Amino acid sequence: MRKLVLVGVAAALCVAVTLVWALTGGGEFWPRWVYFGFGTLAAGVFVFRRALRTPPGRRRWLAVDAAFCGLLITVDLTVWVLSGGGYFWPIWTMLGFSSILGVHALVASRPPGRRERELAARVSALSRSRRGALDRQAAELKRVERDLHDGAQARLVSLALTLGLAGDLLRRDPDRAALLLEEARSTARSALDDLRTVMHTIHPPVLADRGLGDAVRALVLDLAVPVTVTGEPPASLPAATETAAYFAVAECLGNVVKHAVATSAEVAFADVPDALWITVTDDGVGGADLAHGSGLRGIADRLEAVDGTLVLESPLGGPTRVTITVPLTASS
Amino acid sequence: MAEDLTLLRDGLIRMLEAYGYEVVAAVDNGPDLLHALLDQRPDVAVVDVRLPPTHTDEGLRAALAARAEIPGLPVLVLSQYVERLYARELLADGNGGIGYLLKDRVSDIGEFIDNVNRVAAGGTALDPTVVSKLLHQHQLGDLTPREREVLAHMAQGRSNAAIGSALFITEKAVAKHTNSIFAKLGLQSSDDDNRRVLAVLRYLDN
């Protein structure tokens, strides 16, 4: 609306000056300079608006520069035409601005700087890990559903059936009924065992009760290889970080037990500001490789979702050391 | 009695009353539990590990805090899962009068009441799950397989007579095994109950 009013005012002024020129007897057609003034203004607004539509960054600067140079060259050409031609002086403006624009384009097309490369890498890592996290979550829910369906749910169905039968037999055959009740009780116990196992894979209870330090200490008590735990993780870790770190340590220790042929291992929480830093070391045979076996790979992916990393050093002959790091401040 | 699920709490109370217990306090959260334990000094407390307000190990902490004030206050801790870490914390003061069982165990009423009685009498009742986890594990000095079996039963809190009937040996033979276990674990002869707890503790620490 405002734009229309402005254009209207400009058009009215142009008509007015033309009338003035006609009424004052014509002569040299000077109103053309008024047209030129308004035209330049309109063209300027138009090209800069277009240029500013480019997304922020070096491309926008180049677009603004091109608009500026293009506008000035056009203005010079128009002035040359309106003033009757003659010696083609705008050639110098054209040459000058073209070279400025050329140099600018050259600079802008150079490979991105370190900071920009870092950001680009981070963006792609983020979208990859977000995607991975969603996929993993979906797969995890599916697994939980199947575990519950095949385990606890099936047992509860059988429990209901057995109880029904027992109720039926209660009067007619109390001895059979008693047997069935005993069977029902043992089915209920198995259902509870199943539920416990599933719950443990979702979120270990000690992790919920006591946090990462005690959860790891409880975990190592159940392992066949003696493991010492030193240090304390930082207090009040974010839930996602804590869970990812727990399952990372659990996977590492699982590998120690299964593959390393180790006689002892150590989990150390290092006191590092603004980061959770855990090393899992064993005195086994070494030769572990991230490329082999999906366990550690999956853990590394899971850690990536909380900006964490997993570094594996495992020379042949050992020792094997896994370093897990998760930054704790909001990442840049 | 400390249990936050009304259904379960009422069921447990009914069961205990049917077996001659009088329930002096039924609470559903950690702070109330600690007060009740210190005020009432019950003959035995049956406590759920997970209680409000935090819904973590509130019950366990209250039990430990009360036992720090009143050494040997008998507490039977129930939980949906059992952890060796918690078993060790409960037994750490070496005073006995401790039970640590899966909630599922209440389905075997006779055995459960036995456990409550034993804890009330200053003995121990450890869940077979904790014990069987240990059985698959490593070195316990130079205990013979038979002695390990006896120790496993002892860890669950069974008396020599009960161990004897479980292993089909005489009570006297069990006593021989337990003495040998105490000797091998380096436990000086003191009163027998206390040594049993210490042996279990040694077992858990391994």
Side-chain angles (χ1 to χ4, degrees):
Chain A
M1 203 58 214
R2 244 178 78 205
K3 205 152 84 181
L4 272 178
V5 172
L6 287 174
V7 171
V9 168
L13 276 172
C14 288
V15 173
V17 294
T18 316
L19 279 177
V20 169
W21 170 76
L23 289 177
T24 51
E28 199 217 303
F29 188 64
W30 52 264
R32 66 179 191 272
W33 295 109
V34 178
Y35 302 166
F36 167 69
F38 282 125
T40 310
L41 210 62
V45 168
F46 178 72
V47 294
F48 278 108
R49 281 223 171 141
R50 298 259 340 218
L52 289 176
R53 250 184 253 161
T54 324
R58 51 166 95 184
R59 298 200 142 272
R60 181 187 273 186
W61 284 113
L62 184 61
V64 169
D65 194 11
F68 181 72
C69 294
L71 188 68
L72 283 185
I73 288 171
T74 318
V75 165
D76 270 11
L77 280 173
T78 320
V79 168
W80 178 72
V81 169
L82 290 181
S83 57
Y87 168 63
F88 190 62
W89 50 265
I91 186 69
W92 301 113
T93 334
M94 287 164 80
L95 279 176
F97 281 126
S98 305
S99 24
I100 288 174
L101 202 57
V103 169
H104 190 160
L106 203 69
V107 170
S109 66
R110 269 183 39 200
R114 195 174 64 88
R115 176 89 186 131
E116 200 165 330
R117 274 203 308 278
E118 274 171 15
L119 284 175
R122 181 152 168 69
V123 167
S124 77
L126 278 178
S127 32
R128 198 173 54 235
S129 74
R130 193 189 60 165
R131 187 62 205 275
L134 289 175
D135 285 351
R136 212 166 29 253
Q137 200 175 25
E140 193 62 10
L141 284 175
K142 215 183 214 168
R143 179 192 63 74
V144 169
E145 191 274 337
R146 205 176 39 231
D147 284 357
L148 288 176
H149 176 268
D150 296 351
Q153 200 176 22
R155 289 187 203 280
L156 287 175
V157 170
S158 129
L159 174 65
L161 194 69
T162 316
L163 285 175
L165 277 174
D168 226 30
L169 288 171
L170 206 55
R171 292 261 158 70
R172 287 185 283 132
D173 190 351
D175 289 346
R176 279 252 353 252
L179 277 180
L180 285 174
L181 283 176
E182 182 49 45
E183 191 185 315
R185 195 165 62 184
S186 104
T187 310
R189 243 182 251 146
S190 315
L192 284 167
D193 277 340
D194 280 345
L195 280 178
R196 238 188 315 275
T197 312
V198 175
M199 288 193 296
H200 206 276
T201 62
I202 300 173
H203 197 80
V206 186
L207 191 59
D209 291 355
R210 299 279 185 89
L212 185 59
D214 272 1
V216 169
R217 271 183 281 273
L219 173 71
V220 304
L221 282 176
D222 289 341
L223 296 177
V225 175
V227 181
T228 47
V229 180
T230 60
E232 266 304 318
S236 63
L237 289 169
T241 303
E242 196 169 62
T243 315
Y246 174 83
F247 283 108
V249 172
E251 176 70 24
C252 293
L253 290 174
N255 287 337
V256 170
V257 173
K258 274 182 276 176
H259 308 302
V261 204
T263 57
S264 73
E266 186 193 10
V267 179
F269 294 102
D271 188 14
V272 179
D274 302 328
L276 170 63
W277 184 293
I278 312 168
T279 52
V280 181
T281 320
D282 70 65
D283 62 355
V285 293
D289 189 348
L290 270 184
H292 295 120
S294 58
L296 274 181
R297 190 66 260 161
I299 287 303
D301 288 348
R302 188 167 186 165
L303 281 170
E304 200 179 35
V306 289
D307 280 335
T309 53
L310 181 149
V311 178
L312 171 70
E313 302 156 73
S314 185
L316 274 178
T320 299
R321 175 197 295 267
V322 180
T323 309
I324 296 156
T325 343
V326 185
L328 290 181
T329 42
S331 48
S332 52
Chain B
M1 164 71 56
E3 164 65 63
D4 58 324
L5 301 173
T6 322
L7 203 65
L8 200 53
R9 187 175 61 229
D10 293 350
L12 283 168
I13 290 174
R14 203 159 2 137
M15 184 203 294
L16 288 171
E17 286 179 343
Y19 281 83
Y21 280 91
E22 183 200 347
V23 178
V24 291
V27 298
D28 62 2
N29 66 76
D32 285 357
L33 169 61
L34 186 57
H35 278 136
L37 288 175
L38 296 178
D39 290 351
Q40 308 276 352
R41 294 181 172 237
D43 296 326
V44 61
V46 178
V47 170
D48 182 11
V49 165
R50 193 167 281 189
L51 287 178
T54 60
H55 285 286
T56 60
D57 56 346
E58 200 88 13
L60 181 79
R61 287 171 193 271
L64 290 173
R67 280 170 63 87
E69 294 282 318
I70 310 169
L73 180 76
V75 180
L76 172 59
V77 176
L78 294 179
S79 175
Q80 296 283 16
Y81 56 92
V82 289
E83 290 288 342
R84 224 168 122 190
L85 184 76
Y86 293 175
R88 201 161 69 174
E89 289 178 3
L90 282 167
L91 290 167
D93 60 14
N95 274 324
I98 278 293
Y100 184 41
L101 298 175
L102 275 179
K103 271 190 183 169
D104 325 5
R105 306 295 167 204
V106 299
S107 71
D108 192 334
I109 296 171
E111 175 121 18
F112 181 72
I113 292 293
D114 275 354
N115 284 324
V116 177
N117 292 340
R118 194 162 55 234
V119 172
T124 52
L126 273 192
D127 198 89
T129 315
V130 181
V131 177
S132 74
K133 271 184 188 171
L134 297 166
L135 271 179
H136 297 298
Q137 278 174 336
H138 41 111
Q139 65 285 68
L140 249 182
D142 41 6
L143 295 189
T144 65
R146 196 49 150 184
E147 285 163 355
R148 277 160 162 270
E149 271 180 286
V150 171
L151 182 54
H153 283 283
M154 212 157 75
Q156 288 177 41
R158 297 219 164 96
S159 66
N160 282 1
I163 297 172
S165 65
L167 296 179
F168 305 108
I169 53 179
T170 63
E171 201 180 327
K172 223 166 145 192
V174 178
K176 226 179 76 191
H177 287 307
T178 54
N179 280 329
S180 162
I181 293 167
F182 295 149
K184 284 182 180 173
L185 294 179
L187 300 171
Q188 303 308 313
S189 62
S190 60
D191 82 288
D192 193 52
D193 270 352
N194 199 28
R195 273 201 301 178
R196 290 175 91 88
V197 175
L198 290 174
V200 172
L201 203 57
R202 194 67 55 92
Y203 189 31
L204 285 169
D205 269 335
N206 234 284

